[in-house]
Amino acid sequence: MCGIVGYVGSREVVPVLIHGLMRLEYRGYDSAGIAIIDETGNLIIEKAVGKIKDLTEHLWGKNIKGHIGIGHTRWATHGPPTVENAHPHKSRDNSIALVHNGIVENYVQLKEDLISKGYKFSSQTDTEVIAHLIEEEWDENLLKTVLKVAKKLKGAYAVGIISTKEPDKIVALRKGSPLVIGIGEGENFIASDIPAVLEYTNKFITLNDDEIAVITKDSVDIYNIDGEKLEREPFTVNWDISVAEKEGYKHFMLKEIHQQPKSLTDTISGFLSNLDNPVFDNLNKFNKLYIIACGTSFHAGLVGKFWIEKFLKIPVIVDYASEFRYRESPIDEKTLILAISQSGETADTRFAAIDSQKKGAKVLSIVNVVGSSLSRESDYVLYTYCGPEIGVAATKTYTAQLITLFLFAVYGGLKRGFISQREFEDFRHHLSILPKAIEETLKWEDKIKDIAYKYQNVKDFLFLGRGLNYPTALEGALKLKEISYIHAEGYPAGEMKHGPIALIDENMPVVCIAPEDEIFEKMLSNIQEVKARKGIVITVTDSDNSELEKLSDEIVKVEKVSSQLSPIVNILPLQLLSYYIATFLGKDVDQPRNLAKTVTVE
Ligand code: M6R
């Protein structure tokens, strides 16, 4: 949902901005731009529609030099992707340029006011009002002016500003959209996300909501909205830059699929070394639990419901965060909200959680990005330990969310006395062999690639599963839709006969997730129903059942794990299937059209 980056120091600024933007491109790729103050003190702005490579081509031969600047990669909200709407935006007097991630909700009113004072707008964006407002409200210096302007803005934003009037500093402000400050030696950075500047520093400060930072090459000063100076210690990130590289894989998505044995191992051990999380001592205070999330995280929540109701014995309602927020659910101090989000910045999820807190509920979040907004706003946090996920399609964070939900349910069950220590140890054993099972399942990659090749030109897909693997069907369909643009639907297999079975003919591939669990026989009957209508059956199973083999046009055998853990293994072939179909179709797998990795607007 837009990425911003900024640099002040002694390096040539343009390559720093371009590298940073490339690492932020997953946040939006409709247009991109940079603003720098050059060696003669002039403001130079360059923009291009499209991706960072289009901006790089546009910059070719321009030889722009300077040591301070800001950059932006856009996911369009207000106004289509045009050069005029691309950031940075500037003030009328050409002294100020800024980049913005978020939405200024009261921009219409601010714009009308500025127009009545003679300001002309060259874009359709909400952002441009901030640039004109800074010019209009100018008061001694940039900090003082931005403090005044920030009080007039409503909505969510992270903003980076430079001015020719104070050419040695970047002023950054934040409310609701992520922003970190990278601390170097004789140089400093701002960025929407850590990997953008990780090749230069591993020391960071997170800017909190309603805070403003003044950044020069040798100093970082942070103020609250009233202009009071705040103390903030940097934290160190232990990642090396390879986390933001493809490391030989063609796409981040493929790398991230293959990282799952490690991300699961890390998430399991991360969970087990934090068993003193206070949520476990408070579980008895809650009589109901809402899981709220979006997209893939929502699908993880659907699986989590099974585990939490089974092991923790608390009733669970799972809802899309965007729906939950605007419904009057009976929330009180006995309600636990479990908010799941890879980024921890998804506006729908954050705001639904915050609203619930206001009604007395406590919020437990499952988050991948350490220090993200949701993690700081929650009463309790459980982290997934995946490192950055760069591909827009969530893969390794989905399986890590699943494992965290499973561990939350079984350890919570132990603490509440519904599970014995022996049962808990038994589950630990099953978890310890899971990463190996993932590794073995990934060895089916070539077979899955062949299936993808064969069915790449099909127009519609159905995904069927039952019980714990009904959400697997939904997630498989989502993966295919978002990166290959093929229409796909996930359905509970038992529900098919109530309508969707009408869709099935000899052209319809039906991906059937059929683990050998207690409802295997029922699933087998549903597959018979598909076959009887000449559907093409693509089976994902851990079973050697000969009837199933006969019914299947294609079969992928996953490793056998405890049936409770089967959704974690069964999703792998579906991730690979969508990946290979999309690559055969020549789609942009890591940056599918219309999407952004982090959705910070409602
Ligand atoms: O960061 P979050 O987990 O809150 O993101 C939620 C969804 O936007 C996300 O899962 C989205 O659906 C992915 N593109 C799915 O691959």
Side-chain angles (χ1 to χ4, degrees):
M1 211 76 342
C2 301
I4 68 177
V5 65
Y7 173 77
V8 52
S10 50
R11 296 174 202 257
E12 275 306 328
V13 66
V14 175
V16 178
L17 296 179
I18 295 293
H19 285 157
L21 288 177
M22 281 175 164
R23 298 202 193 284
L24 291 173
E25 206 167 20
Y26 70 90
R27 300 179 67 87
Y29 29 85
D30 291 331
S31 65
I34 56 169
I36 70 152
I37 297 172
D38 74 5
E39 284 157 336
T40 59
N42 288 322
L43 184 65
I44 298 181
I45 299 183
E46 298 291 344
K47 313 179 194 187
V49 171
K51 300 196 166 193
I52 311 304
K53 75 171 174 30
D54 299 295
L55 177 65
T56 313
E57 278 165 24
H58 168 82
L59 291 173
W60 189 248
K62 286 197 178 345
N63 200 25
I64 300 165
K65 293 201 176 295
H67 303 287
I68 179 166
I70 49 179
H72 187 271
T73 181
R74 181 169 185 245
W75 186 84
T77 56
H78 295 59
T82 60
V83 170
E84 293 72 35
N85 289 333
H87 299 215
H89 290 283
K90 65 182 177 67
S91 60
R92 188 177 54 177
D93 66 1
N94 242 355
S95 70
I96 288 144
L98 59 89
V99 286
H100 167 217
N101 168 31
I103 291 180
V104 179
E105 285 170 1
N106 58 336
Y107 84 101
V108 174
Q109 182 200 328
L110 293 169
K111 189 170 177 175
E112 280 168 5
D113 201 38
L114 286 160
I115 290 171
S116 72
K117 290 177 177 150
Y119 286 84
K120 289 203 166 42
F121 281 74
S122 51
S123 78
Q124 293 148 280
T125 65
D126 51 326
T127 304
E128 197 181 346
V129 295
I130 312 175
H132 295 318
L133 259 185
I134 294 174
E135 180 181 333
E136 173 65 17
E137 300 284 340
W138 189 265
D139 185 1
E140 279 179 54
N141 60 42
L142 191 55
L143 171 64
K144 210 168 162 195
T145 310
V146 172
L147 284 165
K148 258 167 89 179
V149 167
K151 293 200 172 107
K152 295 189 174 227
L153 302 178
K154 292 202 175 116
Y157 44 80
V159 184
I161 308 160
I162 52 173
S163 170
T164 53
K165 295 179 190 170
E166 293 173 53
D168 62 335
K169 61 187 61 139
I170 299 173
V171 171
L173 75 147
R174 176 204 157 136
K175 184 179 184 180
S177 297
L179 196 70
V180 292
I181 301 166
I183 315 290
E185 291 197 1
E187 59 182 0
N188 288 309
F189 308 79
I190 61 166
S192 297
D193 199 358
I194 287 169
V197 295
L198 196 56
E199 64 191 281
Y200 310 106
T201 182
N202 64 353
K203 282 204 181 62
F204 290 90
I205 289 173
T206 304
L207 202 61
N208 293 330
D209 282 353
D210 290 317
E211 288 181 354
I212 296 175
V214 178
I215 300 148
T216 68
K217 71 185 181 56
D218 298 311
S219 63
V220 174
D221 294 319
I222 298 178
Y223 302 86
N224 67 16
I225 196 91
D226 297 319
E228 293 157 350
K229 207 163 170 189
L230 306 170
E231 289 305 316
R232 186 71 44 81
E233 280 303 308
F235 59 92
T236 304
V237 169
N238 295 323
W239 308 334
D240 71 67
I241 191 60
S242 65
V243 299
E245 309 279 358
K246 290 186 194 144
E247 295 185 287
Y249 288 96
K250 196 167 171 215
H251 296 102
F252 281 110
M253 183 181 176
L254 191 59
K255 171 182 162 186
E256 287 157 4
I257 289 173
H258 280 275
Q259 279 180 321
Q260 290 177 99
K262 176 161 179 2
S263 55
L264 286 175
T265 306
D266 292 349
T267 300
I268 294 167
S269 59
F271 186 98
L272 293 174
S273 37
N274 288 293
L275 293 178
D276 55 355
N277 191 310
V279 71
F280 294 110
D281 294 325
N282 289 301
L283 282 176
N284 284 333
K285 294 183 183 155
F286 305 111
N287 62 10
K288 63 178 169 301
L289 194 155
Y290 287 92
I291 297 182
I292 54 169
C294 309
T296 291
S297 299
F298 170 77
H299 297 153
L302 290 174
V303 184
K305 174 184 166 79
F306 281 81
W307 291 325
I308 294 168
E309 291 191 333
K310 181 177 172 77
F311 299 120
L312 208 47
K313 308 220 182 292
I314 300 180
V316 178
I317 293 165
V318 191
D319 211 345
Y320 289 113
S322 54
E323 288 296 313
F324 175 80
R325 189 179 181 201
Y326 297 100
R327 199 177 18 257
E328 290 183 28
S329 304
I331 295 166
D332 56 24
E333 56 293 335
K334 290 191 173 154
T335 308
L336 181 63
I337 302 288
L338 172 43
I340 309 173
S341 174
Q342 182 284 129
S343 61
E345 301 295 345
T346 301
D348 291 319
T349 310
R350 281 183 57 211
F351 298 146
I354 291 169
D355 283 356
S356 306
Q357 273 171 328
K358 288 183 190 147
K359 294 177 188 159
K362 293 279 186 242
V363 173
L364 163 67
S365 58
I366 295 181
V367 173
N368 189 47
V369 178
V370 178
S372 56
S373 301
L374 180 62
S375 70
R376 287 179 292 121
E377 289 152 0
S378 302
D379 299 284
Y380 317 104
V381 187
L382 296 170
Y383 282 106
T384 51
Y385 294 81
C386 296
E389 185 177 67
I390 304 210
V392 165
T395 52
K396 62 177 176 174
T397 54
Y398 176 65
T399 47
Q401 287 167 346
L402 291 180
I403 208 71
T404 305
L405 283 159
F406 179 78
L407 278 160
F408 168 68
V410 293
Y411 186 64
L414 175 72
K415 292 288 276 186
R416 291 190 86 198
F418 299 125
I419 282 187
S420 67
Q421 187 66 39
R422 197 178 159 167
E423 284 170 308
F424 183 68
E425 292 310 325
D426 198 34
F427 283 130
R428 276 181 77 146
H429 166 71
H430 285 296
L431 287 172
S432 69
I433 53 179
L434 187 66
K436 183 79 190 144
I438 302 280
E439 246 173 66
E440 292 301 314
T441 302
L442 288 172
K443 291 185 179 157
W444 280 77
E445 185 164 359
D446 285 343
K447 167 74 183 169
I448 297 163
K449 199 169 169 179
D450 290 345
I451 300 173
Y453 187 76
K454 204 161 154 189
Y455 298 102
Q456 60 179 293
N457 293 315
V458 165
K459 295 275 170 284
D460 305 277
F461 264 84
L462 253 183
F463 289 74
L464 301 179
R466 292 187 75 124
L468 275 167
N469 283 287
Y470 156 50
T472 311
L474 295 180
E475 176 61 8
L478 174 63
K479 286 287 89 84
L480 189 63
K481 278 185 273 209
E482 69 178 334
I483 62 168
S484 73
Y485 321 146
I486 293 175
H487 169 248
E489 266 192 75
Y491 233 83
E495 187 62 18
M496 206 189 36
K497 56 188 175 291
H498 299 290
I501 201 163
L503 293 169
I504 295 176
D505 62 16
E506 65 279 12
N507 300 313
M508 175 70 91
V510 186
V511 180
C512 301
I513 302 122
E516 204 160 27
D517 55 13
E518 57 283 7
I519 43 175
F520 178 69
E521 298 297 331
K522 306 269 178 230
M523 187 67 202
L524 204 55
S525 306
N526 298 142
I527 297 173
Q528 297 271 16
E529 291 156 15
V530 173
K531 203 69 230 164
R533 279 136 192 105
K534 302 199 174 70
I536 304 161
V537 174
I538 302 173
T539 303
V540 172
T541 187
D542 56 2
S543 167
D544 293 324
N545 181 290
S546 57
E547 187 59 25
L548 182 63
E549 286 184 8
K550 260 194 261 152
L551 287 169
S552 304
D553 295 275
E554 316 286 349
I555 194 157
V556 175
K557 294 276 183 73
V558 298
E559 282 298 292
K560 222 177 201 7
V561 294
S562 152
S563 66
Q564 284 297 319
L565 297 175
S566 70
I568 301 174
V569 178
N570 288 337
I571 192 60
L572 300 170
L574 310 192
Q575 293 172 343
L576 285 168
L577 182 70
S578 60
Y579 170 78
Y580 279 109
I581 290 182
T583 47
F584 286 135
L585 292 174
K587 304 297 184 211
D588 192 340
V589 169
D590 283 334
Q591 295 168 355
R593 70 182 181 200
N594 303 339
L595 295 178
K597 181 78 181 159
T598 311
V599 185
T600 53
V601 293
E602 273 198 84

